[in-house]
Amino acid sequence: VQLVESGGGLVQAGGSLRLSCAASGSTDSIISMGWHRQAPGKQRELVVTVTSGDGSTKYADSVKGRFTISRDNAKNTMYLQMNSLKPEDTAVYYCRAITMVAANLQYYWGQGTQVTVSS
């Protein structure tokens, strides 16, 4: 599975951005996708995850009500709509996919896209 993110950039506090993650390869084996982020000097943290089967989602408390994950299955693309952005949302955002093949789980990561929110 290959993942390519796009859509990052510089935005003022209170603004919006939409990130995209295009998946290719063995996408039929994907059981979960999500977004993580890593700010300078901090550990990578989960932003949101979505299960392929039932579409259930789990958001980090810090982004609930502001960020929304969605998918276009026909395009094998996942989106993250980020509204009401705050300076603390500044980070490199990574797309992540989990596949299951023969009961083996494997994680895949995109290259990351920078999101910078100015105050």
Side-chain angles (χ1 to χ4, degrees), residues 11-14 37 39-40 66 84-91 93 115-119:
V11 64
Q12 288 188 333
R37 67 186 181 187
R66 300 188 299 121
S84 302
L85 283 161
K86 304 175 181 180
E88 51 263 43
D89 294 318
T90 294
Y93 284 70
V115 171
T116 303
V117 185
S118 63
S119 57

Side-chain angles (χ1 to χ4, degrees), residues 51-64:
T51 301
S52 297
D54 59 7
S56 59
T57 58
K58 179 177 174 61
Y59 289 88
D61 288 342
S62 59
V63 306
K64 281 181 182 177

Side-chain angles (χ1 to χ4, degrees), residues 3 12 27 42 53 57 60 64 72 78-79 81 101 115 117:
L3 303 172
Q12 288 188 333
T27 56
K42 295 187 177 181
T57 58
K64 281 181 182 177
D72 184 335
M78 175 178 66
Y79 303 97
Q81 179 65 43
V101 178
V115 171
V117 185

Side-chain angles (χ1 to χ4, degrees), residues 29 31 98-107:
S29 62
I31 61 171
I98 303 174
T99 63
M100 178 177 284
V101 178
N104 294 316
L105 293 176
Q106 189 154 355
Y107 284 66

